[in-house]
Amino acid sequence: MRGSEAPLLPRWARIAALVVLALFLAVWAWWPMLAQYPGTAIEDGRYFHHQIAIGKAAVLRYHEVPLWNAFDCRGIPMWDHPENLTASPIFWLTLPLSTTVTIIVWNLLHVAAGFVGMWLLARMEFKLSRMAAFVAAAFWAFGAGHTSQYAGEHEALISFLDAPILLLLWRRAETSWSAAVGCGLALGWMVYDGATYPLPFTVVMLGLETLLRVWPPKRGLRVAGAAAVVGLVAFTVGASRLLPLMDQFAAHKRVMEDDVDGLLDWQLLRDMYTLRTPHWRSRFHPHQYVFGEYISYVGWLGVALALLGMAASAAETGWLIGLSALVVLLMLGHFSPYAPWTWLHAHVFPFKSMRVSARFRLLLMVPISLWIAFATERVPEIVRKFSPSWGNAARAVVVGCALLAAGDVVGLGQEILVYRFADPPEKPVTPSPRFYYGGPGLAGDTIDEPRQNRAYLGCRAAWVYNADAALWEGDVPQARAPANHAVIESVVRTHNSFSLDVDAKEPTRILLNSAYDRGWQSTIGTVVDQGHLLALDVPSGKFHITVKYWPAKLTLGMCLSAIGLLGSLLFLFRHKIRKWRRGSGKPALKAEEA
């Protein structure tokens, strides 16, 4: 157990060693992604590649924050798109890198963070040994369910890997204001990561965990106080994204197929955890989605170890068993008219716009990984009580089985990775000096179009409401007006804006070559929606007009985010600041005395 292990000193060495180990193992487990370079992601992964390329083009070409996506479906919100990745700090830190390399870094950093988070949860909350913590972290971070869900596919879901560190911080928030602030900051980070599914799903898991420790009332009050701090920090830090997103959700209802999936099916549940196949595209009728939305492979050996660990640790981790049972009920989806997921999906925002309850399986891997780790620790202890001479042998056997099962899981993930990054690489393109739609020589692959500074009129995104806007193609002016009413003398367009000189003989309507959204605003005249096309009603006169996209409530959100982040950092470093102030005051005091 942890108590019998001498800690590595100093503390910075422990942190540095853990981070280096996590990054090294992330590279090893996801090596096929690097080996496929410069190959790019397939299917949904291509959409996220496209999104990041758009963000880089906005910043590097036009020196503007990527607020509007002019490249998809005739124009859609970007900053206030629910699954936008380009608000993430990781995007900004990787800005000089190619989009393909950015995707690689995005994956490796999240996988490494998942490893570190589970290690800390196992060590600090459950007091497990380093070997047991290693086993738990490996099963969690490199789990085939995680790899299959994110790698080269739905990159915005990768923040599910933050669940262990959030669980640790949330449980400690009851007695530590610093942990409460840290938990709020982690949730705020997820907002910028585009974690539309991971964030509410994980918050539900934390809420269920809370129900298991709100008694007696005195403890419940402490938990409520912690929840207030966590909520305040998460909301203020994430406000620059949350407030515009709330406006988008208020303005639009997501169009999607009915979610009817119920997983109360023994064969499917068995296959989810024991069927070793990289063929995620297969459908398992009568279930609604492809197998990639169910796969959670740990193998029969992993299942056996998890059951052993659960039984051996039941007396000390009863709350974890209770939490797992509640998560399973959610994961099972619409198995009954009274199922928890059915109720959430029918009545609770944002779950009314969500589907695939099976994604709760990603959170269920938290207790599964911990139980496998508990097996490596508790089973040898039980054997040692009956036969001290066999204790070490039992530990070697159980740890060996756990490492073998973990290696098997990594191996399946690597088989999946080989397929997921096999699409053609980014191609060299000649950028157009002006942005426009279509025209001769438009790149055939959408991931190349942002660097070409040109776009197609098709749709890849799910947040689509203006697909029928009457845009025009070609290297022509991006604004039009009736010839006898107004003359447009010049038009300069970026992703987020139109700048034009207008000589209007009478009040008139100018058409702009973009789909409409309520975030568009103008320095002169009134922005209007003409059949989903962006238009501007201007008075008579001669004007220089700037029309730009600025998401609703973004200014207020940015102010709140700055206040929340600064306040959180000042609180977390309050002791160092106090010590620094005392230290800086001593020389001045001595000088006065002298």
Side-chain angles (χ1 to χ4, degrees), residues 307-489:
L307 292 175
L308 278 173
M310 180 172 62
S313 63
E316 56 189 304
T317 60
W319 69 268
L320 191 61
I321 296 174
L323 176 61
S324 304
L326 295 173
V327 172
V328 167
L329 287 176
L330 283 163
M331 183 185 77
L332 292 178
H334 302 285
F335 66 90
S336 160
Y338 307 103
W341 175 254
T342 300
W343 183 82
L344 280 176
H345 187 63
H347 302 291
V348 180
F349 172 83
F351 297 98
K352 291 193 289 185
S353 297
M354 292 183 168
R355 56 196 181 98
V356 199
S357 63
R359 287 172 181 166
F360 274 103
R361 80 195 190 284
L362 301 168
L363 297 174
L364 189 61
M365 280 303 298
V366 172
I368 289 173
S369 301
L370 288 167
W371 286 329
I372 294 173
F374 269 112
T376 67
E377 197 124 306
R378 297 294 183 262
V379 171
E381 291 174 359
I382 293 171
V383 171
R384 193 173 287 113
K385 289 180 181 179
F386 293 97
S387 176
S389 60
W390 284 95
N392 290 336
R395 178 172 174 77
V397 169
V398 178
V399 169
C401 288
L403 294 177
L404 181 64
D408 181 37
V409 167
V410 172
L412 176 56
Q414 290 182 334
E415 290 180 38
I416 294 170
L417 283 161
V418 169
Y419 293 101
R420 294 292 181 81
F421 292 92
D423 265 15
E426 301 175 52
K427 294 181 177 62
V429 292
T430 301
S432 166
R434 294 168 297 278
F435 174 85
Y436 61 94
Y437 290 95
L442 178 66
D445 195 329
T446 56
I447 68 169
D448 300 317
E449 292 171 6
R451 287 177 291 109
Q452 193 183 17
N453 201 29
R454 292 166 59 186
Y456 79 146
L457 295 177
C459 299
R460 288 189 62 96
W463 202 251
V464 175
Y465 301 97
N466 299 318
D468 57 348
L471 270 60
W472 54 92
E473 297 185 79
D475 188 9
V476 295
Q478 298 292 291
R480 292 176 175 176
N484 58 338
H485 292 171
V487 175
I488 299 175
E489 298 175 349

Side-chain angles (χ1 to χ4, degrees), residues 50-68:
H50 187 217
Q51 184 188 96
I52 292 174
I54 293 165
K56 288 179 181 286
V59 178
L60 299 176
R61 175 170 292 278
Y62 293 116
H63 311 294
E64 59 187 19
V65 177
L67 301 176
W68 181 257

Side-chain angles (χ1 to χ4, degrees), residues 489-505:
E489 298 175 349
S490 68
V491 184
V492 176
R493 178 174 186 177
T494 70
H495 296 183
N496 296 346
S497 69
F498 295 81
S499 296
L500 52 155
D501 293 312
V502 178
D503 185 358
K505 300 178 179 62

Side-chain angles (χ1 to χ4, degrees), residues 17-30:
L18 179 58
V19 171
V20 170
L21 175 64
L23 288 170
F24 173 80
L25 291 173
V27 170
W28 166 70
W30 282 54

Side-chain angles (χ1 to χ4, degrees), residues 92-111:
W92 294 95
L93 292 172
T94 57
L95 196 58
L97 306 177
S98 73
T99 304
T100 302
V101 174
T102 297
I103 290 288
I104 292 172
V105 173
W106 171 271
N107 286 318
L108 293 180
L109 289 181
H110 279 93
V111 171

